[in-house]
């Protein structure tokens, strides 16, 4: 079956070699058609694309499992589906597709932004999107999926004091567990920002894993608090994303110079 995901992950020789050695963790953000005014269209995947991705995984012989399973079990041909931020459009446009493919997934939730907007994106001039509210998160959990912590406010932990980082990491876990009555075992670094000190705080807080935005697979013995992930983009999409980021930086410098 032709498709961007197949070109990026299954057809390339290097991708086949990587996936034969270790299990992939895929990361998504928003499920829906990217608005024309968004500053980052590559954070969106249509529901049709998500459906195609899951079908291709099945055709390639992969089973989709929960995050903890792929970390503690060395079995091959297993994949994990993660969503960052807890966007409502994932609930609305992705839940049925996940059920159709019997795919478990995890949403990394910002505990202080439940039912609110993506202020960290809006601050950069991006489109406002609604995050899942408490009722929707409970439905997500009832459907057999998991939630993890993405801090309280989605601030870059690398830029915070040790006390601020501790509060973001520890308190978000407690709020989510108290609110939803589940054990929150997994963490995700906002903006992928982490240091050795931040990693140690995540471990101290009692999480079992932490996801980064670093590209790659996680071989046996990989640091569970520095898990690499893959954004499922085609080669063309990946090149356009890099070009898009460069253009944004150029425009930002131009504005600053005025």
């Amino acid at each position: 079956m032709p498709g961007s995901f197949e070109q990026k992950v299954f057809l390339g020789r290097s991708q086949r070699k990587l996936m034969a050695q270790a299990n992939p963790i895929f990361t998504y953000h928003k499920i829906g058609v990217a608005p024309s005014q968004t500053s980052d269209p590559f954070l969106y995947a249509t529901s049709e694309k998500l459906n195609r991705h899951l079908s291709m995984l099945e055709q390639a012989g992969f089973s989709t499992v929960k995050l903890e399973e792929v970390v503690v079990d060395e079995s091959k041909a297993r994949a994990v589906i993660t969503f960052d931020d807890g966007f409502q459009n994932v609930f609305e446009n992705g839940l049925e597709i996940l059920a159709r493919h019997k795919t478990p997934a995890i949403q990394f939730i910002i505990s202080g932004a439940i039912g609110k907007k993506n202020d960290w994106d809006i601050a950069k001039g991006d489109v406002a999107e609604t995050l899942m509210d408490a009722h929707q998160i409970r439905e997500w959990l009832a459907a057999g999926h998991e939630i993890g912590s993405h801090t309280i406010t989605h601030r870059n932990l690398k830029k915070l004091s040790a006390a601020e980082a501790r509060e973001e990491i520890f308190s978000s876990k407690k709020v989510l567990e108290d609110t939803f009555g589940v054990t929150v075992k997994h963490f995700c670094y906002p903006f992928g920002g982490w240091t050795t000190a931040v990693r140690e705080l995540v471990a101290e807080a009692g999480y079992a894993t932490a996801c980064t935005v670093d590209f790659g697979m996680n071989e046996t013995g990989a640091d569970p608090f520095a898990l690499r992930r893959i954004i499922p983009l085609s080669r063309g999409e990946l090149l356009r994303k890099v070009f898009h980021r460069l253009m944004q930086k150029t425009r930002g410098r131009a504005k600053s110079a005025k």
Side-chain angles (χ1 to χ4, degrees), residues 171-242:
S171 293
S172 58
K173 186 177 194 297
K174 178 172 173 46
V175 168
L176 292 175
E177 290 180 339
D178 290 349
T179 302
F180 300 106
V182 296
T183 301
V184 174
K185 298 178 287 187
H186 308 292
F187 187 82
C188 181
Y189 303 106
F191 304 107
W194 66 285
T195 62
T196 299
V198 167
R199 178 212 176 280
E200 290 174 354
L201 285 172
V202 172
E204 183 186 339
Y207 295 97
T209 72
C211 286
T212 71
V213 295
D214 297 335
F215 176 85
M217 303 286 189
N218 302 282
E219 298 183 1
T220 302
D223 185 349
F225 298 103
L227 295 176
R228 296 174 176 271
R229 294 187 291 174
I230 294 173
I231 300 174
L233 298 174
S234 69
R235 291 186 182 90
E237 288 170 331
L238 193 59
L239 288 172
R240 291 197 298 274
K241 181 180 177 69
V242 171

Side-chain angles (χ1 to χ4, degrees), residues 9-236:
V9 178
F10 296 133
L11 295 186
R13 183 179 303 171
S14 60
Q15 286 80 23
R16 285 178 179 273
K17 184 177 180 180
L18 280 172
M19 293 179 76
Q21 297 172 348
N23 293 312
I25 300 174
F26 296 101
T27 178
Y28 297 84
H29 283 78
K30 307 163 188 176
I31 301 300
V33 177
S36 59
Q37 64 271 37
T38 181
S39 63
D40 195 345
F42 301 100
L43 290 181
Y44 290 81
T46 64
S47 53
E48 292 79 10
K49 178 180 282 190
L50 177 63
N51 182 60
R52 185 169 68 248
H53 291 181
L54 298 181
S55 294
M56 289 178 179
L57 277 174
E58 293 165 1
Q59 292 165 11
F62 276 78
S63 60
T64 46
V65 298
K66 293 184 177 181
L67 184 55
E68 191 168 68
E69 293 178 61
V70 82
V71 173
V72 301
D73 191 330
E74 297 179 6
S75 302
K76 297 298 186 291
R78 312 178 97 191
V80 178
I81 305 298
T82 69
F83 295 92
D84 289 6
D85 304 329
F87 284 101
Q88 190 177 91
N89 52 36
V90 174
F91 176 84
E92 295 174 338
N93 302 326
L95 198 58
E96 187 276 328
I97 295 169
L98 293 169
R100 187 189 313 164
H101 291 276
K102 299 180 180 179
T103 296
I106 184 168
Q107 278 266 24
F108 290 109
I109 304 295
I110 301 124
S111 66
I114 294 171
K116 299 180 182 179
K117 302 289 185 181
N118 53 331
D119 290 341
W120 60 94
D121 287 332
I122 297 170
K124 297 183 293 184
D126 205 351
V127 176
E129 294 279 9
T130 303
L131 304 172
M132 287 196 296
D133 59 28
H135 175 73
Q136 291 166 331
I137 293 173
R138 290 190 178 94
E139 285 196 42
W140 173 266
L141 291 167
H145 303 298
E146 292 185 292
I147 60 171
S149 168
H150 207 28
T151 72
I152 303 171
T153 62
H154 201 281
R155 288 187 292 170
N156 190 330
L157 297 172
K158 288 177 65 174
K159 300 179 179 181
L160 303 184
S161 68
E164 289 174 319
R166 174 179 286 273
E167 176 68 11
E168 292 279 348
I169 294 165
F170 279 71
S171 293
S172 58
K173 186 177 194 297
K174 178 172 173 46
V175 168
L176 292 175
E177 290 180 339
D178 290 349
T179 302
F180 300 106
V182 296
T183 301
V184 174
K185 298 178 287 187
H186 308 292
F187 187 82
C188 181
Y189 303 106
F191 304 107
W194 66 285
T195 62
T196 299
V198 167
R199 178 212 176 280
E200 290 174 354
L201 285 172
V202 172
E204 183 186 339
Y207 295 97
T209 72
C211 286
T212 71
V213 295
D214 297 335
F215 176 85
M217 303 286 189
N218 302 282
E219 298 183 1
T220 302
D223 185 349
F225 298 103
L227 295 176
R228 296 174 176 271
R229 294 187 291 174
I230 294 173
I231 300 174
L233 298 174
S234 69
R235 291 186 182 90

